Amino acid sequence: MITQTLSVTDAIRTRRTVRHYRPDPIPPTVLDELLDMVVEAPSAWNMQDRSIVLVRSEQGRRALSEAAFGQPQPLEAPAVLVFVADPHAWRGAQSDIAERAVANGAWNEEFRAMFDGRAEYHSLSERGLLRENAVKNAMIAATYVMLAATGLGLASAPMNGWDEAAVKRAIDIDPESDLAIAVLVTIGYGAGTPPHPGRRPRPQTVFAERYPTLS
């Protein structure tokens, strides 16, 4: 295991969206540690209905840059992670998830029975919220990878300006597939650290008990 260079608190405070990168490759051990940490991200019912496609080839990164309307990050960064959300992952048996959780003492048989029943997912399906649920889980994983990258001395940039069909084609997914592209995250060694753009004062965005009603 590679020692993190920063605490979680410091990683949160120092992370920046970095759009330009040095050509330095990411050492395999560092990349492996990063991927090990991203799969630790939680998901609803531990369904793990998100996948991460690691793109390092020049051809693949160029295709992602083109899918992102020419943004430079995928071309400059040595690695791009594409977070894919699967709205229909819950329809499979997923017995390995339940068996591992029971064996680890994390779930009892009652909880496993609820998992097997999928009542919450049937409700999401009826309300048309399966895609939204899977994308939420993928975004949690993307947040994990950005903070983990910062802790490992790497820079990152979440990307949300791209054509979904083109991104799918770049990673060999049928554009007509129900799989959703949640976000792209570029990873590498930043060519400088941009200044913090600042955030609104906490009282403007954090409220006690109730959301303030607009007058």
Side-chain angles (χ1 to χ4, degrees), residues 132-153:
E132 178 180 323
N133 182 71
V135 168
K136 286 177 182 177
N137 290 330
M139 293 303 298
I140 292 171
T143 300
Y144 261 54
V145 84
M146 288 186 285
L147 293 179
T150 304
L152 289 168

Side-chain angles (χ1 to χ4, degrees), residues 207 210-215:
F207 311 108
R210 297 177 183 276
Y211 188 83
T213 302
L214 298 177
S215 57

